[in-house]
């Protein structure tokens, strides 16, 4: 069958403006309404984009010494100040996260969890830290089932205390800072403390999300009094919002480290909030808080072209699935095909389906069951499965493969529901260190429970609500102390032993597609980070081939349908924030589908 490429599918010519760091900052700040005009109406599930992904509408940002890119301008500016004043990437990470929890409370915060990839220039070592939320010890595998053993409706599970896992982000910040921080811990909280005390303007995106989530967000009186005015009307864009409770929490963290958060007054407040949510109480305990531990995990890496693409292993499925997609595509010359070729999208779509089939079958918290990490990325396993892609049409049947297992265990396919919120940021400092961090409270506004000025996560709903299917166990079933499988894929692609691309995205399980596609765009198609981010998304998670609506990729829909894919046009709200490290300096990109910016010097 002839494959006809639509004439102007994607821009081919890089649009790179080389500008000095100072000019860069001025340019961004001077762009009218950059912080507000790009996001209009958002719906909460999924946290949707607003159709602003006009390719080339944002200048490329380049810098020499350091760079930071994240989803909110206030967080980026706070992080940039740290880097400008001699702080390193870990210092900036602490400040960015504390600020994001304030100005982007729907997406991440100290009531949630995160994965950190950190490249330390001095030791030349890449470390991954797992700050994932953890299931309370009193959580039973049937927590998200009704009395008949049927899965609860998603939001009946999410809203309230039931979905809250032990938060991991504060412990991750502390562990990372103790290992690699340079400025004093205390000082890193000042920007967020000042902003919480003096107030910040509610962004258009935040206002839209509060409004579209009104009913759920007003169930908790504390969240209601914060996100709504005295008449119960959702806060509107531009409202000056102060958060004295968050100020107090941050002051405590700044002074006492995480002692009170995990073992003292803050822990008590969190546990009381979860258990007292009388309409849907949870089982989190003081012991769960006290027992929380950040886990260092081995990075999961895959060879792709001349890069070693590294990311977060289990409990995330991110690096394994992105790695499988890239590994399956390695034998095919995507560079020669180019982004205009429908065959590129056939290959990417089917490689994704194959990888997602394995993901659903095998990936979960490897502390609780044997995950065949090495087997899933084994070169001969991937080469064999890659041969399935050699045809000319979409695969008729896709099923999980049989990777070499370290342990015999029979599993069936997963049923977790993941809806996107979350945030990703990337930082490179003047010392050559790099941070890639994806951070989440899971659904938009998490469990909708607010305590101490921050939102509590609903990460437990990333577990499969069912434990078995036809009597066969599901890898990602809930268990006490287990961490729910994630899709978050903070990534550092190494070249010749040092970081070359630092990237990641929110987006629920679509994260995997966003990250894989943007890596292919940068590595195979010679796109800059901003061009890669601007490209329309095409994401296949082993279901429909989702094509970003309102973009030039819509013209691919009939072509992909003719190849045999089930297609659907939909909003695809990534939040990719990427930095490329080249011999000529740093090149950054921020996702126009959210509010982010890049600052560098
Ligand atoms: N909770 C999801 C995960 O850990 C992330 C959700 C999102 O990106 O919005 O994979």
């Amino acid at each position: 069958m002839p494959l006809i490429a639509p004439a102007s599918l994607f821009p081919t010519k890089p649009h790179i403006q080389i500008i000095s760091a100072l000019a860069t900052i001025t340019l961004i700040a001077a762009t009218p309404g950059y912080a507000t005009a790009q996001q209009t109406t958002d719906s909460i599930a999924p946290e949707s984009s607003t159709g602003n992904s006009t390719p080339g509408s944002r200048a490329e940002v380049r810098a020499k010494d350091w760079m930071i890119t994240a989803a909110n301008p206030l967080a980026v500016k706070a992080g940039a100040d740290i880097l400008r004043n001699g702080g390193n990437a870990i210092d900036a990470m602490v400040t960015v996260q504390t600020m994001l929890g304030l100005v982007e409370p729907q997406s991440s915060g100290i009531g949630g969890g995160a994965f950190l990839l950190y490249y330390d220039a001095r030791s030349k070592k890449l470390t991954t830290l797992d700050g994932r939320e953890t299931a309370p010890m009193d959580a039973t595998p049937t927590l998200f089932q009704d009395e008949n053993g049927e899965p609860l409706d998603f939001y009946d599970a999410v809203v309230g205390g039931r979905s809250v896992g032990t938060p991991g982000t504060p412990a991750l910040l502390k562990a990372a800072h103790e290992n690699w921080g340079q400025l004093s811990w205390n000082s890193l909280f000042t920007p967020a403390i000042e902003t919480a005390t003096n107030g910040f303007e509610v962004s258009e995106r935040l206002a839209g999300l509060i409004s579209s989530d009104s009913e759920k967000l007003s169930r908790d009186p504390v969240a209601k009094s914060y996100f709504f005015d005295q008449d119960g009307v959702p806060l509107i864009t531009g409202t000056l919002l102060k958060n004295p409770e968050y100020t107090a929490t941050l002051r405590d963290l700044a002074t006492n480290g995480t002692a009170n958060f995990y073992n003292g007054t803050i822990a008590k407040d969190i546990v009381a909030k979860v258990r007292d949510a009388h309409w849907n109480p949870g089982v989190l305990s003081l012991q769960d808080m006290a027992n929380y531990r950040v886990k260092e995990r081995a990075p999961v890496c895959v060879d792709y072209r001349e890069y070693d693409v590294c990311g977060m292993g289990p409990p995330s499925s991110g690096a394994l699935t992105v790695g499988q997609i890239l590994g399956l595509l390695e034998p095919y010359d995507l560079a020669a095909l180019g982004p205009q070729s429908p065959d590129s999208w056939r290959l990417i779509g089917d490689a994704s389906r194959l990888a997602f089939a394995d993901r659903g079958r095998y990936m979960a918290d490897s502390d609780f069951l044997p995950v065949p990490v090495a087997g899933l990325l084994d070169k001969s396993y991937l080469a064999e499965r890659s041969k399935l892609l050699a045809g000319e049409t979409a695969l008729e049947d896709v099923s999980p493969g049989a990777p070499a297992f370290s342990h015999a265990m029979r599993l069936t396919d997963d049923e977790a529901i993941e809806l996107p919120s979350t945030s990703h940021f990337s930082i490179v400092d003047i010392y050559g260190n790099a941070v890639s961090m994806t951070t989440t409270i899971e659904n938009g506004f998490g469990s909708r429970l607010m305590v101490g000025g921050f939102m509590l996560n609903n990460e437990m709903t990333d577990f499969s609500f069912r434990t078995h299917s036809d009597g066969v166990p599901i890898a990602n079933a809930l268990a006490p102390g287990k961490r729910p499988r994630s899709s978050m894929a903070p990534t550092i692609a190494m070249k010749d032993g040092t970081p070359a691309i630092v990237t990641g995205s929110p987006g629920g399980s679509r994260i995997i597609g966003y990250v894989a596609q943007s890596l292919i765009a940068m590595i195979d198609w010679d796109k800059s980070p901003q061009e890669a981010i601007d490209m329309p998304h095409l994401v296949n998670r082993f279901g429909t081939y989702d094509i970003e609506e309102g973009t030039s990729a819509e013209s691919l829909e009939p072509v992909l349908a003719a190849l045999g894919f089930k297609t659907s046009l939909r909003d695809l709200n990534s939040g990719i924030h990427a930095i490329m490290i080249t011999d000529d300096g740093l090149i950054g990109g921020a996702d126009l589908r959210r509010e982010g910016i890049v600052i560098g010097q």
Side-chain angles (χ1 to χ4, degrees):
M1 140 176 337
L3 297 175
I4 315 276
S8 60
L9 189 54
F10 301 119
T12 48
K13 195 79 195 121
H15 171 73
I16 299 182
Q17 254 182 266
I18 300 174
I19 38 187
S20 74
L22 194 58
T24 301
I25 296 164
T26 313
L27 176 83
I28 293 165
T31 305
Y34 76 93
T36 53
Q38 287 162 11
Q39 310 291 341
T40 52
T41 53
D42 279 297
S43 67
I44 194 69
E47 190 178 326
S48 53
S49 75
T50 48
N52 294 295
S53 50
T54 316
S57 66
R58 176 169 294 191
E60 195 72 46
V61 179
R62 288 189 172 228
K64 200 166 79 49
D65 295 336
W66 53 259
M67 183 168 277
I68 175 166
T69 172
N72 180 281
L74 292 171
V76 174
K77 286 174 187 163
D81 285 343
I82 299 287
L83 296 170
R84 194 178 287 114
N85 295 324
N88 67 19
I90 292 293
D91 297 326
M93 178 275 282
V94 175
T95 296
V96 170
Q97 178 62 80
T98 51
M99 190 67 98
L100 282 175
L102 176 68
V103 298
E104 207 195 27
Q106 75 279 6
S107 294
S108 77
I110 56 175
F115 294 127
L116 169 74
L117 253 72
Y118 174 64
Y119 175 79
D120 186 66
R122 199 165 15 189
S123 60
K124 300 193 184 334
K125 188 177 168 216
L126 184 68
T127 304
T128 73
L129 291 187
D130 165 5
R132 185 72 163 163
E133 298 92 331
T134 301
M137 294 311 284
D138 285 343
T140 58
T142 54
L143 185 70
F144 298 123
Q145 295 176 10
D146 65 18
E147 56 284 358
N148 302 318
E150 289 304 314
L152 295 178
D153 284 346
F154 185 65
Y155 283 109
D156 289 345
V158 166
V159 183
R162 188 188 296 250
S163 62
V164 179
T166 316
T169 298
L172 183 145
L173 300 187
K174 193 77 178 86
H177 185 264
E178 274 169 8
N179 272 313
W180 305 293
Q182 194 161 286
L183 302 183
S184 74
W185 167 256
N186 193 301
S187 69
L188 303 175
F189 290 78
T190 305
I193 288 174
E194 282 176 358
T195 311
T197 307
N198 300 328
F200 67 98
E201 285 187 9
V202 170
S203 71
E204 193 158 350
R205 179 176 183 80
L206 176 54
L209 289 165
I210 297 169
S211 161
S212 61
D213 197 50
S214 290
E215 188 279 315
K216 297 184 197 73
L217 197 51
S218 53
R219 285 189 214 172
D220 171 23
V222 178
K224 185 171 183 188
S225 69
Y226 182 68
F227 290 110
F228 298 77
D229 70 14
Q230 283 170 342
D231 300 322
V233 177
L235 296 182
I236 57 169
T237 308
T239 308
L240 187 73
L241 185 57
K242 297 182 183 178
N243 191 337
E245 302 267 323
Y246 193 56
T247 298
T249 302
L250 291 185
R251 278 198 210 286
D252 192 310
L253 282 165
T255 310
N256 303 313
T258 54
N260 275 331
F261 191 94
Y262 287 105
N263 293 285
T265 47
I266 304 175
K268 282 194 189 123
D269 290 346
I270 292 172
V271 168
K273 185 87 196 185
V274 168
R275 290 181 168 251
D276 294 349
H278 58 87
W279 74 94
N280 195 14
V283 293
L284 187 72
S285 71
L286 286 175
Q287 194 159 11
D288 293 319
M289 294 296 293
N291 286 344
Y292 187 82
R293 294 291 176 271
V294 175
K295 298 187 181 184
E296 183 180 336
R297 310 267 188 191
V300 165
C301 301
V302 66
D303 286 344
Y304 185 65
R305 316 298 183 209
E306 67 272 42
Y307 294 83
D308 200 14
V309 178
C310 296
M312 192 72 219
S316 188
S317 62
L320 275 175
T321 317
V322 169
Q324 278 208 326
I325 294 171
L326 298 178
L328 290 164
L329 292 169
E330 175 84 9
Y332 298 90
D333 193 350
L334 292 179
L337 287 169
Q340 310 286 339
S341 162
D343 214 32
S344 288
W345 298 105
R346 176 188 67 77
L347 288 163
I348 293 169
D350 270 346
S352 303
R353 290 167 74 202
L354 290 167
F356 266 89
D358 276 0
R359 173 184 180 273
R361 178 67 58 94
Y362 300 111
M363 299 180 201
D365 184 348
S366 51
D367 290 346
F368 279 73
L369 73 165
V371 177
V373 172
L376 287 163
L377 293 181
D378 179 71
K379 276 189 192 307
S380 52
Y381 172 66
L382 290 175
E384 205 46 46
R385 243 162 115 68
S386 177
K387 289 181 190 158
L388 296 169
L389 304 175
E392 292 188 343
T393 54
L395 293 173
E396 271 178 32
D397 291 311
V398 171
S399 49
F405 238 127
S406 54
H407 181 281
M409 185 162 180
R410 197 168 155 242
L411 295 167
T412 191
D413 299 339
D414 178 75
E415 296 189 6
I417 303 164
E418 285 170 52
L419 296 171
S421 68
T422 309
S423 212
H424 178 85
F425 55 89
S426 298
I427 305 171
V428 175
D429 68 21
I430 194 167
Y431 314 102
N433 306 309
V435 156
S436 178
M437 179 152 147
T438 312
T439 173
T440 186
I441 53 170
E442 217 299 291
N443 201 240
F445 300 103
S447 63
R448 277 67 170 184
L449 297 183
M450 190 174 203
V451 61
F454 58 91
M455 304 305 296
L456 291 175
N457 70 84
N458 66 296
E459 214 69 48
M460 295 306 96
T461 59
D462 269 0
F463 282 116
S464 171
F465 284 20
R466 289 188 197 274
T467 57
H468 291 72
S469 180
D470 293 333
V472 183
I474 292 172
N476 187 34
L478 201 164
K482 192 174 175 182
R483 299 184 177 198
R485 186 196 60 202
S486 172
S487 301
M488 296 195 291
T491 301
I492 297 184
M494 310 283 287
K495 197 174 181 184
D496 304 326
T498 57
I501 299 170
V502 185
T503 189
S505 179
S509 51
R510 291 188 179 83
I511 288 172
I512 289 160
Y514 299 147
V515 170
Q517 185 190 317
S518 63
L519 285 168
I520 290 165
M522 287 184 266
I523 293 173
D524 290 295
W525 298 334
D526 215 18
K527 302 283 184 195
S528 70
Q530 192 63 58
E531 290 166 341
I533 295 166
D534 285 352
M535 283 180 72
H537 294 311
L538 293 100
V539 177
N540 197 319
R541 298 175 302 158
F542 194 21
T544 56
Y545 208 147
D546 295 336
I547 297 167
E548 190 171 5
E549 68 184 4
T551 69
S552 55
E554 284 191 354
S555 58
L556 263 179
E557 191 188 19
V559 185
L560 292 171
L563 288 175
F565 290 102
K566 291 196 188 94
T567 56
S568 104
L569 295 178
R570 49 171 302 150
D571 179 31
L572 292 174
N573 186 216
S574 59
I576 307 170
H577 295 99
I579 300 172
M580 198 181 258
I581 303 161
T582 73
D583 291 342
D584 298 329
L586 307 168
I587 313 174
D591 204 319
L592 289 148
R593 300 165 186 83
R594 301 200 177 201
E595 295 173 326
I597 58 169
V598 186
I599 294 180
Q601 176 175 296

